[in-house]
Amino acid sequence: MENVKKVLYSAVQPTNNLTIGNYIGAISNWKKLQDDYDCFFAIANMHAITVRQNPAELRQRTLSLLALYIACGIDPEKCVLYLQSHVSAHAELCWVLNTFTYVGEMERMTQFKDKSARHTENINMGLMDYPVLMAADILLYQADCVPVGLDQRQHVEIARDIAQRFNNIYSPTFKVPEALYMKTGAKINDLQNPEKKMSKSAENPNGAVFLSDDRDVVIRKFKRAVTDSDSLIKYDPETKPGVSNLLTVYSVFSQKSMAETEREFEGKGYGDLKLAVGELVADKLAPIQSEQARLLSDKTYLDEVLKRGALLANKAASRTLGKVYKKIGFYQL
Ligand code: TYM
């Protein structure tokens, strides 16, 4: 029977330590979606080198991220888990798509502007080209949908623009992908600066809860979270960003609705909320951490997962790349 499942694509960069923002905004949703879609989940190591990396650390973080995907419940038998650099079609399509992308568009990208401000010593071409490589990732697999956090909105938009541009000049070649954001948790904010996104490269390490943090570190970070001078526990991101952020994290990790979460904390104080969120997150992270450690001790298994992933990803990607090369007039043997 013909496969009628839609295709889903997403990726995470193996840089720094992942935060609960990455988990809530991305990986935890992948787990829920994996039965309904044909999923490709990449480890975006080619994106990672747009900021200078220590090679040994990058290698280590690659396996560590793969183990994390699996520990979070992504099934490597159902989904294609692979390393971006194992599929050369990403770089090849990126080159072609570069010729369909304007320098001005890339200069206007928020993340490019932010990262160039933070890494003034290394504003390299890769940093600027980052969204085109991301477009190549998505378009190679003819993805219908791309589950990401809100910070990736502009990147998915540009991937759609590039796809449409190419399709209009030649003929329909790429599926035009849709971004998929979760209603709750598409943007988890920094605990110390709740108007800003929680980031792997947070300036203040107390603002980000890392997936590798120990139980007491997790609880301490939540205890120190910035709230407000009021004492009402209510979800209102505009006027109460800190409290709303804590409620969001609680709601996602407890799998309770926001209304239910608010009811649970009715009449309680901020101290109770902070402690409850900290304990809940620590409880949920513990089994993921131990499963990740177990998987990391089995490198043979992880390599096998990557080999299988590379095979399947290469097969799907080369089909699209072949079509593109033909349409643009690359002579084929
Ligand atoms: P990266 O590695 O920065 O982040 C991985 C995923 O985590 C989400 N995320 C968040 N969600 C909610 N709250 C937060 N505070 C938060 N921080 C991060 C991100 O939105 C993302 O979904 N460019 C991508 C990786 C990539 C990719 C792709 C994604 C490469 N190719 C193709 C989708 C499709 C990135 O740097 O994500």
Side-chain angles (χ1 to χ4, degrees):
M1 210 174 82
E2 205 193 335
N3 189 353
V4 287
K5 276 190 188 170
K6 289 191 169 177
V7 177
L8 183 145
Y9 188 94
S10 203
V12 174
Q13 294 187 74
T15 48
N16 303 319
N17 284 323
L18 265 65
T19 71
I20 56 166
N22 299 119
Y23 177 76
I24 296 176
I27 304 175
S28 70
N29 302 317
W30 301 355
K31 181 181 169 201
K32 294 182 208 142
L33 296 163
Q34 64 183 336
D35 291 321
D36 300 328
Y37 291 86
D38 271 340
C39 297
F40 291 86
F41 296 124
I43 296 170
N45 61 342
M46 291 164 69
H47 280 102
I49 60 163
T50 56
V51 172
R52 204 64 71 221
Q53 303 292 329
N54 171 307
E57 247 174 46
L58 180 60
R59 251 187 303 273
Q60 177 53 34
R61 287 189 198 286
T62 298
L63 278 191
S64 181
L65 183 54
L66 176 67
L68 183 74
Y69 283 179
I70 303 171
C72 287
I74 313 291
D75 183 346
E77 305 276 321
K78 274 189 209 152
C79 309
V80 179
L81 302 185
Y82 75 99
L83 186 58
Q84 191 182 26
S85 63
H86 286 169
V87 182
S88 57
H90 289 254
E92 294 179 75
L93 183 62
C94 178
W95 179 252
V96 174
L97 298 184
N98 276 334
T99 66
F100 295 87
T101 310
Y102 301 104
V103 172
E105 288 177 310
M106 294 299 101
E107 282 171 338
R108 285 195 295 276
M109 290 277 135
T110 320
Q111 219 170 73
F112 170 65
K113 288 195 277 189
D114 285 353
K115 284 196 183 165
S116 346
R118 267 191 285 134
H119 302 278
T120 46
E121 73 301 341
N122 183 17
I123 307 178
N124 62 71
M125 283 301 295
L127 199 59
M128 193 172 179
D129 206 25
Y130 183 113
V132 184
L133 179 59
M134 188 162 150
D137 296 347
I138 300 168
L139 301 181
L140 272 177
Y141 299 90
Q142 305 290 350
D144 295 274
C145 104
V146 185
V148 280
L150 275 172
D151 62 323
Q152 297 298 321
R153 182 194 288 266
Q154 225 182 8
H155 292 158
V156 181
E157 277 304 311
I158 200 78
R160 290 170 55 85
D161 291 347
I162 296 172
Q164 276 160 343
R165 205 169 284 163
F166 190 98
N167 288 349
N168 288 339
I169 297 175
Y170 301 94
S171 52
T173 309
F174 297 120
K175 181 76 66 60
V176 180
E178 301 272 354
L180 182 68
Y181 311 107
M182 289 297 142
K183 263 217 307 273
T184 313
K187 183 169 179 245
I188 297 300
N189 289 332
D190 189 284
L191 297 186
Q192 292 298 316
N193 188 355
E195 325 239 336
K196 253 186 60 195
K197 165 187 103 155
M198 183 182 288
S199 158
K200 290 185 220 171
S201 48
E203 275 154 34
N204 181 345
N206 286 322
V209 176
F210 298 106
L211 296 180
S212 55
D213 280 346
D214 287 344
R215 180 177 186 83
D216 39 338
V217 174
V218 173
I219 294 176
R220 177 169 46 78
K221 286 182 177 173
F222 278 106
K223 270 193 185 155
R224 290 189 186 165
V226 168
T227 43
D228 53 48
S229 53
D230 186 9
S231 63
L232 186 67
I233 300 184
K234 189 169 139 249
Y235 182 76
D236 182 353
E238 290 295 315
T239 61
K240 301 174 86 60
V243 173
S244 303
N245 194 39
L246 294 177
L247 286 171
T248 302
V249 173
Y250 190 87
S251 149
V252 172
F253 275 97
S254 64
Q255 296 182 305
K256 290 180 185 160
S257 71
M258 190 50 82
E260 230 178 311
T261 303
E262 277 180 327
R263 237 176 292 128
E264 196 169 326
F265 290 101
E266 228 167 49
K268 296 200 173 149
Y270 288 168
D272 302 319
L273 173 64
K274 291 180 190 179
L275 184 63
V277 187
E279 285 182 340
L280 175 65
V281 172
D283 286 349
K284 295 284 174 180
L285 293 187
I288 295 177
Q289 291 167 345
S290 56
E291 179 61 1
Q292 184 190 20
R294 189 191 67 78
L295 287 160
L296 270 173
S297 67
D298 192 352
K299 189 170 167 294
T300 314
Y301 169 70
L302 294 176
D303 281 354
E304 263 162 33
V305 170
L306 286 180
K307 271 188 212 149
R308 173 183 181 272
L311 202 76
L312 295 172
N314 266 300
K315 199 166 147 209
S318 60
R319 216 177 298 138
T320 301
L321 188 69
K323 263 199 227 170
V324 169
Y325 277 5
K326 198 162 165 195
K327 295 215 181 175
I328 57 176
F330 282 1
Y331 183 75
Q332 290 179 315
L333 293 173

